[in-house]
Amino acid sequence: MTSLDSATNAPKPSARELPDVSQLVVGVLGGTGDQGRGLALRLARAGQQVIIGSRDAARAEASAAELGDGALGVRGADNATVARESDVVIVAVPWDGHAATLSALREELAGKIVVDCVNPLGFDKQGAYALKPEEGSAAQQAAALLPDSRVTAAFHHLSAVLLQDESVERIDTDVLVLGEERAATDIVQALAERIPGMRGVFAGRLRNAHQVEGLVANLISVNRRYKAHAGLRITDV
């Protein structure tokens, strides 16, 4: 039997218990955009305290009010306030504003778990295609700009349409989570699993983030061809 066969036939490790994240405050930078707004809604409906962030505090407060405001545990604030007052901060800003937004919040995000879900994409007549940032990926750019933060990457492959559709009770998909620190990726996996139908799956270190971000271009092509809102499932895990 080869070493590969031995590894394949070895007993699977039992699932580890994920941490309790119910008391953590989650901030969403870019929470007035489709993806950020959808994530804020789903996490708030799961019982998480959520702060929606925007450069314009009034816009963030209006978006929070539309989602149910205090009734769902959602409030709005400017980006700096969100970064200071949150335990975990999801970055859901447009790619073209990614670097500037994070650079301005380096001090406020120090020590925080930062979850980058930004997908660097270009679009032309042939459709969507992945861009390759100088650092390798959006997540690696975030790590370079935020050396004192615990940077992870997750939530890339979720349909903003499904996230915002309140008639959809479950979103059956896996969330690939990447990062350098196991404790941080465990927390992000646990947050993903607060949302009905979702499962957090560790998918490697940040150096592997480019292909995870780039896969969104393929999902866009799938959605256009099949008029769908495609997600991902990892088998045999």
Side-chain angles (χ1 to χ4, degrees), residues 6-227:
S6 299
T8 302
N9 294 324
K12 293 180 183 177
S14 59
R16 295 189 309 110
E17 184 177 349
L18 293 173
D20 179 7
V21 295
S22 60
Q23 300 305 308
L24 297 182
V25 178
V26 179
V28 184
L29 302 179
T32 58
D34 290 341
Q35 192 80 358
R37 177 186 172 86
L39 283 168
L41 173 64
R42 292 291 166 171
L43 288 168
R45 286 180 63 175
Q48 211 72 40
Q49 296 181 65
V50 177
I51 314 175
I52 288 177
S54 173
R55 287 177 297 179
D56 182 346
R59 186 180 176 196
E61 290 165 359
S63 185
E66 290 172 3
L67 292 181
D69 208 4
L72 275 182
V74 183
R75 59 189 175 94
D78 64 89
N79 284 337
T81 299
V82 170
R84 281 194 301 269
E85 297 185 3
S86 300
D87 301 300
V88 178
V89 178
I90 298 173
V91 181
V93 300
W95 167 240
D96 58 7
H98 184 261
T101 298
L102 296 184
S103 295
L105 298 173
R106 175 173 173 171
E107 182 177 341
E108 290 85 353
L109 289 171
K112 305 298 177 72
I113 293 178
V114 174
V115 188
D116 202 297
C117 68
V118 175
N119 301 305
L121 298 176
F123 295 86
D124 59 21
K125 293 181 179 179
Q126 298 183 60
Y129 60 95
L131 302 176
K132 188 69 176 286
E134 181 179 348
E135 298 84 355
S137 65
Q140 287 171 295
Q141 183 182 86
L145 294 171
L146 304 172
D148 299 318
S149 300
R150 304 162 69 189
V151 176
T152 65
F155 300 117
H156 302 90
H157 306 134
L158 306 182
S159 163
V161 173
L162 292 183
L163 287 172
Q164 295 182 90
D165 187 344
E166 297 192 47
S167 70
V168 175
E169 295 294 330
R170 294 174 55 87
I171 300 179
D172 292 313
T173 190
D174 286 337
V175 174
L176 301 183
V177 182
L178 303 95
E180 304 300 319
E181 180 191 331
R182 189 164 186 171
T185 57
D186 280 355
I187 286 172
V188 178
Q189 286 178 250
L191 280 173
E193 295 193 8
R194 297 270 288 165
I195 301 174
M198 290 191 193
R199 181 180 63 157
V201 178
F202 176 72
R205 295 179 178 270
L206 291 183
R207 68 180 184 180
N208 294 321
H210 171 65
Q211 58 263 37
V212 172
E213 296 169 2
L215 185 58
V216 174
N218 302 90
L219 291 178
I220 289 172
S221 297
V222 170
N223 289 338
R224 288 181 173 174
R225 172 63 65 90
Y226 297 102
K227 310 299 182 187

